[in-house]
Every structure is written in structure tokens, then in C-alpha cells.
Amino acid sequence: MSWIVYVMGAAGFDSVRDFPEGWSPPPLGPRESVIRRLHAVLPTLFFATSTEGSYHGDGFSITFDLGPWEVVPRVRLLVHGPSHEALDVLGRVAEALDGRALDTGLGDFMRFAKDPDSGRHVWRDAPPAESGWLPA
């Protein structure tokens, strides 16, 4: 079972439906800064390349895709495995990057403080990720 989450800068918006037409999120920062902030909250996070990292937890793993940009606009997280611990990791990652976690299963932001259970249904209901969604 896989689940895709994007972490992006979206301060001031309660929902993706609030985005004005043509709006683009601000960048999360330079690649090295993003990697450094991720390592601060996940010391065992391993980046095999400057664009892709992996983290392994108890019963789950997360692939971090920073994309080809030197200034990172968003981080794509591909979560593998049904683990509630992964939700905690997602929250810590979003906080470390001063970003919001967009749950592709819900189609909106995860609300870790307001609704800690947001996203938990995805573990039960999500179909496996298509192989075309995986980074090259």
C-alpha cells in the first residue's frame, strides 16, 4: 500500500480550495537547506542522490523526492506501508520545512494540530500507487 503526500509552502491557506487562480506556492528553500532541515528531524534519512532520499520506520518507509530544482518548490513523499507512526513523521517533516502536507487521498491539507486523525482513512482506502508516479 502506498500513499503520496506533497509538502509545500502554503501559509495563510486553510484549504487548497482557497488558492487564488494562478497562485504558485513559495519555494521551500535551497536544496542543501531543505536536506539539512530534514536531517535535523530525521537523522537516519538517507539521500542516495541530491534529489531522492529514503527513510525507514517501524512497518513503513518514505521516499523523499526533491525534484531537479536547486531551489525546491515542494517535496513529494511516497509513503509505503500502513503505519500510524508515518503520520507523525509527516507532521514533523511539514513543520521542519515550514510547509503544509497535501494529502492526495483527501485532496486537501492534513491538519495535524486540529485533526490528528486526518489522513488515517487513507491507510485503509488507498489503492496502490501507480508505478508511473515513482521518481525516475
Side-chain angles (χ1 to χ4, degrees):
M1 175 180 314
S2 297
W3 178 31
I4 298 171
V5 174
Y6 288 92
V7 174
M8 65 178 71
F13 295 105
D14 191 47
S15 170
V16 296
R17 291 177 283 290
D18 297 334
F19 292 164
E21 190 170 331
W23 180 83
S24 293
L28 296 172
R31 176 184 309 285
E32 290 305 316
S33 172
V34 168
I35 291 172
R36 195 170 36 257
R37 289 184 282 162
L38 290 170
H39 275 146
V41 295
L42 301 173
T44 61
L45 174 61
F46 173 72
F47 276 85
T49 69
S50 64
T51 62
E52 187 176 295
S54 60
Y55 177 81
H56 298 276
D58 187 22
F60 74 98
S61 66
I62 303 175
T63 300
F64 289 71
D65 178 9
L66 276 56
W69 309 278
E70 286 304 313
V71 177
V72 179
R74 67 188 171 285
V75 176
R76 184 178 75 155
L77 306 170
L78 182 58
V79 184
H80 307 276
S83 170
H84 294 300
E85 182 187 340
L87 293 171
D88 176 60
V89 170
L90 294 174
R92 289 188 290 147
V93 165
E95 185 177 343
L97 297 179
D98 196 25
R100 302 287 305 273
L102 174 63
D103 174 349
T104 61
L106 291 173
D108 210 347
F109 294 125
M110 297 181 74
R111 291 162 177 77
F112 299 102
K114 286 184 180 177
D115 180 10
D117 286 333
S118 70
R120 290 184 193 255
H121 76 280
V122 174
W123 297 114
R124 294 187 312 268
D125 303 336
E130 297 295 325
S131 61
W133 290 43
L134 299 174

